[in-house]
């Protein structure tokens, strides 16, 4: 464990001003870490906050919570406890991890702590890397977890990454460190347990210090990833504008930079659910970019939709049904798609975002609604044009057409498609008009 102590003292440089939130399950790994921090506290006098989460899925969990609470009282440690009463329908491990780290973050803010520390060790890193290689991941995903990382501007430290599970158990025995065993860690129904029981023994038989090789691989991959990331960020502003990929610019880039840009976009969306994203989603994104179809969409995890609309590509939240509306247009309306239509008698512009009418030409009151099948608008030359065709001509994405506002009079006659097209009833600035609306 000398390397662990050196890492905390010489690399992290713990001192008397530090406050550390330690995730402790009462198992051998986290109790080992807690013991090490207690030994360093005697010399460096920092503050330790023990954070324990009771998932309430095993009958032993109540006894573990009591054991740890008593341990903290005996050793003069702050004990913070979270009991999870209800689980959602999400993947259990993802959901549990999210809840734990949100709890840790709350404690960091409460105590103004510097660090979160967890008991992840070298064997955990091997398992994580192999599992991600097997199921697919991004480049950063393939590198597993870091010795030091950042979670919402909070430093997460994993001091035991340099040692194996066996070394931890030997240390616990040598120093009489009491702990509890979670029997679910031996059940084959969990993927990680199958790797732990079948793959790790083989690797360790081939190379005793294989954990060090995996740590070196992880660090090397992170170094490459950080370099490519720096190149990507220089190109990002050119091809990603207003949360949309500009496809003609994007396809000029090298494939590896394209991949990194897509990773960046998905990471922003799935900040707390990165385990949901893998290389298949990256491939899907790029496949959409190069699709011959002008409008195409793909499903992504957590009810998101990947949409290609002509020369742009973006991700949006999927909706189960179209938000239709039909309301009277008076002084101001705010629509579900974020648009606002407001009466503005002082407006001096004459673009498609402004409507000027003479009330003698139409039947009041005006209404604003979503489009209907067969909607047509009367144009200046005396003819009519289908609204559907206007949307296509203006390259309005398919997913936005059904919520786009259409302004009609009381005879359901279309007088304006805000920001897109005006009817023959629109008046110029020099004409006599008593109704002016602006859309923004």
């Amino acid at each position: 464990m000398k390397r662990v102590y050196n890492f905390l003292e010489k690399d992290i440089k713990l001192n008397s001003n530090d406050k550390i939130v330690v995730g402790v399950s009462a198992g051998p790994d986290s109790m080992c870490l807690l013991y090490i921090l207690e030994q360093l506290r005697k010399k460096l006098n920092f503050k330790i906050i023990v954070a324990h989460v009771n998932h309430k899925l095993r009958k032993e969990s109540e006894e573990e919570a009591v054991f740890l609470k008593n341990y903290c009282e005996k050793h003069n440690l702050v004990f913070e406890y979270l009991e999870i009463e209800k689980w959602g329908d999400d993947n259990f491990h993802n959901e549990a991890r999210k809840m734990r780290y949100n709890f840790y973050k709350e404690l960091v803010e409460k105590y103004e702590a510097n660090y979160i520390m967890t008991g992840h060790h070298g064997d955990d890193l091997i398992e994580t890397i192999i599992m991600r290689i097997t199921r697919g991941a991004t480049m950063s995903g393939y590198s597993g977890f870091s010795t030091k990382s950042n979670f919402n501007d909070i430093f997460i430290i994993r001091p035991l990454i340099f040692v194996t599970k066996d070394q931890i158990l030997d240390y616990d025995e040598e120093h009489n460190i009491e702990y509890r065993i979670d029997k679910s860690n031996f059940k084959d129904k969990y993927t990680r347990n199958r790797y732990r029981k079948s793959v790790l023994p083989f690797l360790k038989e081939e190379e005793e210090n294989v954990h060090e090789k995996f740590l070196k691989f992880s660090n090397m991959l992170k170094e490459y990833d950080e370099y490519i990331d720096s190149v990507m960020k220089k190109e990002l502003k050119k091809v990603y504008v207003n949360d949309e990929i500009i496809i003609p610019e994007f396809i000029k880039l090298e494939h590896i930079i394209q991949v990194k840009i897509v990773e960046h976009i998905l990471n922003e969306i799935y900040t707390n659910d990165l385990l949901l994203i893998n290389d298949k989603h990256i491939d899907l994104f790029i496949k959409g970019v190069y699709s011959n179809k002008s409008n195409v969409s793909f499903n992504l995890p957590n009810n998101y939709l990947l949409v290609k609309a002509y020369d742009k590509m973006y991700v949006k939240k999927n909706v189960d049904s179209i938000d239709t509306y039909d309301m009277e247009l008076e002084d101001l309306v705010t629509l579900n798609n974020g648009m606002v239509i407001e009466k503005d008698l002082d407006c001096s512009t004459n673009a498609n975002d402004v409507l000027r009418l003479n009330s003698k030409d139409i039947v009041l009151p005006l209404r604003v609604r979503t489009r209907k099948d067969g909607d047509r608008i009367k144009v200046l030359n005396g003819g009519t044009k289908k609204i559907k065709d206007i949307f296509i001509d203006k390259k309005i994405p398919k997913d936005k057409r059904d919520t786009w506002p259409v302004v009609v009079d009381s005879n359901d006659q279309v007088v304006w498609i805000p920001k897109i097209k005006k009817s023959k009833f629109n008046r110029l600035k020099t004409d006599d008009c008593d109704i002016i609306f602006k859309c923004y």
Side-chain angles (χ1 to χ4, degrees):
M1 293 289 171
K2 184 177 179 181
R3 191 173 177 186
V4 176
Y5 279 96
N6 286 339
F7 169 73
L8 290 169
E9 284 192 84
K10 297 178 181 179
D11 193 340
I12 302 303
K13 295 183 172 65
L14 292 179
N15 61 70
S16 59
N17 296 319
D18 289 329
K19 298 173 185 176
I20 305 166
V21 173
V22 190
V24 184
S25 66
D29 313 330
S30 56
M31 290 304 295
C32 175
L33 173 60
L34 183 57
Y35 178 86
I36 290 171
L37 289 172
E38 286 183 84
Q39 302 314 301
L40 286 173
R41 183 180 65 165
K42 294 174 183 177
K43 179 167 60 171
L44 302 174
N45 198 32
F46 48 76
K47 184 170 185 175
I48 299 173
I49 299 99
V50 173
H52 178 68
V53 179
N54 182 354
H55 299 97
K56 295 184 74 68
L57 296 175
R58 298 174 295 113
K59 61 182 181 180
E60 300 89 353
S61 60
E62 302 300 327
E63 191 277 327
E64 291 166 359
V66 172
F67 158 71
L68 197 53
K69 184 175 184 293
N70 292 337
Y71 180 95
C72 290
E73 288 176 358
K74 181 179 177 181
H75 291 256
N76 192 28
L77 298 166
V78 177
F79 178 69
E80 289 282 359
Y81 178 66
L82 173 67
E83 197 171 88
I84 300 177
E85 298 288 349
K86 186 177 180 181
W87 292 95
D89 299 324
D90 199 0
N91 176 285
F92 163 71
H93 291 291
N94 290 345
E95 191 174 1
R97 181 183 182 277
K98 202 185 307 182
M99 288 182 176
R100 282 197 305 273
Y101 278 92
N102 285 337
F103 177 48
Y104 298 160
K105 184 185 177 186
E106 289 173 11
L107 296 179
V108 165
E109 293 171 353
K110 177 179 177 179
Y111 292 97
E112 297 182 341
N114 308 66
Y115 305 109
I116 295 170
M117 292 194 186
T118 67
H120 292 96
H121 50 76
D123 287 9
D124 290 328
L125 180 64
I126 295 174
E127 293 162 11
T128 300
I129 290 173
I130 295 175
M131 286 169 64
R132 291 185 183 173
I133 289 174
T134 303
R135 76 172 180 88
T138 62
M139 185 184 292
S140 57
Y142 286 131
S143 66
F145 53 81
S146 303
T147 315
K148 295 180 284 187
S149 59
N150 192 296
F151 174 76
N152 292 338
D153 298 323
I154 301 165
F155 286 107
I156 302 175
I157 311 296
R158 301 175 178 91
L160 301 183
I161 199 171
F162 308 105
V163 297
T164 66
K165 180 76 169 189
D166 288 340
Q167 289 171 322
I168 290 170
L169 292 173
D170 289 343
Y171 188 83
D172 287 344
E173 183 177 356
E174 180 184 351
H175 294 275
N176 298 313
I177 299 171
E178 192 176 357
Y179 56 80
R180 298 292 184 268
I181 293 293
D182 180 353
K183 294 179 182 178
S184 67
N185 288 334
F186 303 102
K187 294 181 178 178
D188 284 347
K189 71 175 182 177
Y190 296 117
T191 306
R192 183 177 289 271
N193 292 349
R194 296 196 295 274
Y195 281 89
R196 184 174 295 156
K197 290 170 66 175
S198 303
V199 180
L200 253 65
F202 167 75
L203 292 175
K204 290 183 177 184
E205 189 176 328
E206 292 293 310
E207 169 54 59
E208 182 181 0
N209 295 315
V210 69
H211 65 288
E212 294 181 359
K213 305 294 175 63
F214 271 80
L215 180 57
K216 183 177 181 180
F217 168 79
S218 174
N219 291 335
M220 184 170 60
L221 206 58
K222 284 186 179 71
E223 191 175 344
Y224 293 159
D225 187 54
E226 287 169 4
Y227 173 75
I228 297 171
D229 207 50
S230 68
V231 177
M232 176 274 291
K233 287 177 180 175
K234 294 176 183 177
E235 302 292 341
L236 185 64
K237 293 179 182 178
K238 303 175 189 175
V239 301
Y240 192 50
V241 181
N242 296 326
D243 296 330
E244 295 177 327
I245 287 283
I246 310 302
I247 292 176
E249 296 300 318
F250 183 83
I251 61 178
K252 296 177 184 177
L253 301 175
E254 294 180 2
H255 177 72
I256 187 64
I257 304 302
Q258 292 179 343
V259 168
K260 285 300 295 181
I261 287 174
V262 174
E263 277 186 32
H264 173 82
I265 293 169
L266 294 178
N267 284 348
E268 283 192 332
I269 294 167
Y270 294 92
T271 305
N272 296 320
D273 295 291
L274 292 180
L275 294 178
L276 296 177
I277 296 299
N278 58 42
D279 56 341
K280 293 179 182 177
H281 302 111
I282 308 288
D283 294 342
L284 192 66
F285 203 115
I286 294 176
K287 176 185 175 183
V289 166
Y290 286 96
S291 171
N292 292 326
K293 296 181 180 179
S294 298
N295 286 276
V296 64
S297 62
F298 306 92
N299 290 316
L300 292 174
N302 275 8
N303 206 30
Y304 280 96
L305 203 62
L306 175 61
V307 179
K308 178 185 180 182
Y310 299 102
D311 61 352
K312 294 179 180 178
M313 194 92 174
Y314 55 91
V315 178
K316 56 166 274 187
K317 196 72 177 177
N318 195 7
V319 289
D320 295 326
S321 60
I322 298 167
D323 293 325
T324 59
Y325 53 85
D326 188 338
M327 65 190 85
E328 189 169 328
L329 180 56
E330 296 181 308
D331 292 334
L332 182 145
V333 294
T334 301
L335 306 175
N336 295 354
N337 64 357
M339 287 187 184
V340 175
I341 302 176
E342 183 178 17
K343 185 174 285 186
D344 187 356
L345 295 178
D346 296 322
C347 184
S348 59
T349 62
N350 202 39
N352 281 327
D353 59 351
V354 175
L355 174 69
R356 299 174 187 276
L357 295 173
N358 188 314
S359 56
K360 296 177 182 178
D361 299 333
I362 56 173
V363 181
L364 295 176
L366 294 176
R367 303 190 66 80
V368 58
R369 61 168 172 78
T370 46
R371 67 171 179 158
K372 297 178 181 177
D373 289 341
D375 269 344
R376 304 181 77 95
I377 188 170
K378 292 182 178 180
V379 291
L380 281 175
N381 63 9
T384 64
K385 191 163 185 178
K386 288 182 180 179
I387 289 180
K388 176 183 176 182
D389 293 340
I390 293 172
F391 280 142
I392 293 172
D393 292 343
K394 295 293 183 180
K395 296 188 175 181
I396 303 300
K398 285 180 70 175
D399 65 295
K400 294 183 179 181
R401 296 174 194 172
D402 290 316
T403 56
W404 202 280
V406 175
V407 176
V408 299
D409 71 0
S410 286
N411 286 337
D412 212 31
Q413 182 172 235
V414 178
V415 298
W416 185 34
I417 310 171
K419 295 189 176 185
I420 296 178
K421 187 77 174 175
K422 301 176 185 181
S423 72
K424 73 171 190 175
F425 301 105
N426 183 68
R427 295 288 172 250
L428 300 176
K429 288 189 291 183
T430 54
D431 293 340
D432 183 21
C433 62
D434 54 357
I435 298 172
I436 304 177
F437 280 98
K438 183 175 176 63
C439 179
Y440 55 89

